[in-house]
Amino acid sequence: MGKITGFMEFERQEEQYEAPAVRLKHWKEFVHELPEDKAKTQAGRCMDCGIPFCNNGCPVNNIIPDFNDLVWQGDWKRALDVLHSTNNFPEFTGRICPAPCEAACTLGINEAPVGIKSIEHAIIDRGWNEGWVTPQLPAHKTGKTVAVVGSGPAGLAAAQQLARAGHAVTVFEKNDRAGGLLRYGIPDFKMEKSHIDRRIAQMQAEGVTFRTGVLVAELPKDGPGATVANWAKETLTPAQLQADFDAVLLTGGAEFPRDLPVPGRELDGIHFAMEFLPLQNKVNAGDKLKNQITATGKHVVVIGGGDTGSDCVGTSNRHGAASVTQFEVMPQPPEAENKPLVWPYWPIKLRTSSSHEEGCSRDWAVATKEFIPGTGKDKNKVKQLKACRVEWKDGRMQEVPGSEFTLPADLVLLAMGFVHPVGSVLDAFGIDKDARGNAKAGTEDETGYATNVPKVFAAGDMRRGQSLVVWAIREGRQAAREIDRFLMGSTVLPR
């Protein structure tokens, strides 16, 4: 905890943002971490609440009261040690995690919760600035080899844990740079990629080998997954990995997007979000692209109200879109949750992101009926979108009679979530799938994260489906523990 009476004396301290007019002119992060005195005050609000529900609200089970207390005392280095004991990459979660820990904060029952995410952000950034984050070399080498397929947060967390246990780890990534969806799914204005680069440098110093541009199995050359698949320069077969390594861990993302099969879907100008977002990240990294999809001067419609849709909004505004509209098929959620009903669980309530604040027309309970082409030279391009209002009764969606409307749409971005991993990777390994198309692998007992294929494991989105970065880190850590147990007969790696 922090100060005994701090929760009564101190107000919640918020991180400050650059003004929208300023941040729209660049692609850099615009959230300013709390200065030391405000972070200390924020940590001082942590209560001696007996049962710290924040621990269980956090998927990696961060020991939140302990690092809050250490920040309150001014012992930042020990606070970093506590934070790292459960989370390999707090600079990722401190920036892009929605903070389920704060939803579970006991103080949040009737007051503003402790700003746990902002404290985490401040701890790790200070750790890097002070030079406290250094490679942790294993005491000895085991002689065992592990292949990790996918370099997103699950793959990176597993690789780091396994390397620190003394195994020789090679990470394979189909894209031209490591980082997975952290690299090419998260816009730079939410998380600059230098944070990934320095972690990769740390892991290389710890003995992890990265091989980028390597595709394991084959992905389609068109359709979902084709954009990034075409960046790969080399292909490996599952048989090669199984022959060359003592264990294989699959940690690819859930990259198969949900489609919208309505009339006009084939028109030019309609794209999945993940055909749009990665290209800007490549441009920001200095790559030259011939056919980048841009929103400049266009009327943009984003279909899907989640985080990916919000990222499309922020990117479109930075391109200089003429207008940005975002639809969600579900009803508008309440502005505030019913805390006695939902605490300590994640509440459904209206959430306005920083991208929405930069300029966006939002609407709910709207369904798309048709994409309408232009005329003449634009006959194959989308120019309008026909939609209607819907209402939900007994869990079923019904169109509201007479509610049709149209609006201009030069660029339509489909951001309706991801159904499952791209199936060809799992099919190539012969891995059983669950009902949702994910790798079938449990998390309990000594067979945790193991698939039906000998010595092949799965974790992260590949196993659980589309989820949060913090869940991916948790699964990567736990899978590493089970692989270490598989290779050595026992393990000392933490969960």
Side-chain angles (χ1 to χ4, degrees), residues 206-271:
E206 293 171 346
V208 178
T209 298
F210 288 87
R211 292 183 58 184
T212 58
V214 179
L215 193 61
V216 178
E218 292 188 7
L219 294 178
K221 294 304 178 183
D222 54 22
T227 301
V228 290
N230 289 333
W231 299 344
K233 297 179 180 179
E234 180 184 352
T235 301
L236 292 179
T237 66
Q240 287 175 279
L241 292 187
Q242 290 168 287
D244 293 344
F245 293 89
D246 297 310
V248 178
L249 175 62
L250 305 181
T251 60
E255 295 180 280
F256 197 95
R258 184 172 285 106
D259 207 344
L260 186 59
V262 299
R265 172 64 180 87
E266 75 285 353
L267 294 172
D268 294 340
I270 305 171
H271 302 276

Side-chain angles (χ1 to χ4, degrees), residues 356-419:
H356 295 139
E357 294 170 349
E358 294 163 1
C360 175
S361 175
R362 304 171 74 187
D363 208 346
W364 289 265
V366 172
T368 302
K369 297 189 69 174
E370 183 181 359
F371 299 115
I372 302 172
T375 58
K377 65 177 183 179
D378 293 332
K379 66 180 181 180
N380 295 320
K381 299 179 181 179
V382 66
K383 285 298 175 182
Q384 287 185 306
L385 181 149
K386 181 187 291 185
C388 66
R389 304 284 172 185
V390 297
E391 58 185 3
W392 292 83
K393 293 183 178 180
D394 300 323
R396 297 174 65 87
M397 184 180 73
Q398 299 178 2
E399 180 178 344
V400 176
S403 66
E404 281 191 3
F405 64 95
T406 60
L407 71 162
D410 304 307
L411 175 62
V412 177
L413 300 172
L414 306 180
M416 302 174 294
F418 300 87
V419 182

Side-chain angles (χ1 to χ4, degrees), residues 244-430:
D244 293 344
F245 293 89
D246 297 310
V248 178
L249 175 62
L250 305 181
T251 60
E255 295 180 280
F256 197 95
R258 184 172 285 106
D259 207 344
L260 186 59
V262 299
R265 172 64 180 87
E266 75 285 353
L267 294 172
D268 294 340
I270 305 171
H271 302 276
F272 291 115
M274 284 302 294
E275 294 173 334
F276 173 69
L277 294 172
L279 301 182
Q280 184 59 52
N281 287 1
K282 289 180 69 68
V283 170
N284 292 346
D287 293 352
K288 303 296 183 181
L289 302 181
K290 294 181 179 179
N291 299 306
Q292 183 187 0
I293 303 166
T294 65
T296 308
K298 297 177 182 177
H299 296 288
V300 180
V301 178
V302 179
I303 302 177
D307 289 340
T308 303
S310 173
D311 293 343
C312 290
V313 169
T315 300
S316 296
N317 279 325
R318 282 164 178 74
H319 283 172
S323 67
V324 182
T325 303
Q326 185 179 27
F327 289 155
E328 168 59 56
V329 74
M330 300 301 293
Q332 181 175 343
E335 292 191 7
E337 73 273 32
N338 184 340
K339 288 187 178 181
L341 180 65
V342 301
W343 181 89
Y345 300 107
W346 183 249
I348 296 175
K349 65 178 181 178
L350 180 62
R351 302 178 191 277
T352 300
S353 72
S354 58
S355 292
H356 295 139
E357 294 170 349
E358 294 163 1
C360 175
S361 175
R362 304 171 74 187
D363 208 346
W364 289 265
V366 172
T368 302
K369 297 189 69 174
E370 183 181 359
F371 299 115
I372 302 172
T375 58
K377 65 177 183 179
D378 293 332
K379 66 180 181 180
N380 295 320
K381 299 179 181 179
V382 66
K383 285 298 175 182
Q384 287 185 306
L385 181 149
K386 181 187 291 185
C388 66
R389 304 284 172 185
V390 297
E391 58 185 3
W392 292 83
K393 293 183 178 180
D394 300 323
R396 297 174 65 87
M397 184 180 73
Q398 299 178 2
E399 180 178 344
V400 176
S403 66
E404 281 191 3
F405 64 95
T406 60
L407 71 162
D410 304 307
L411 175 62
V412 177
L413 300 172
L414 306 180
M416 302 174 294
F418 300 87
V419 182
H420 51 67
V422 177
S424 57
V425 176
L426 299 179
D427 293 339
F429 276 91

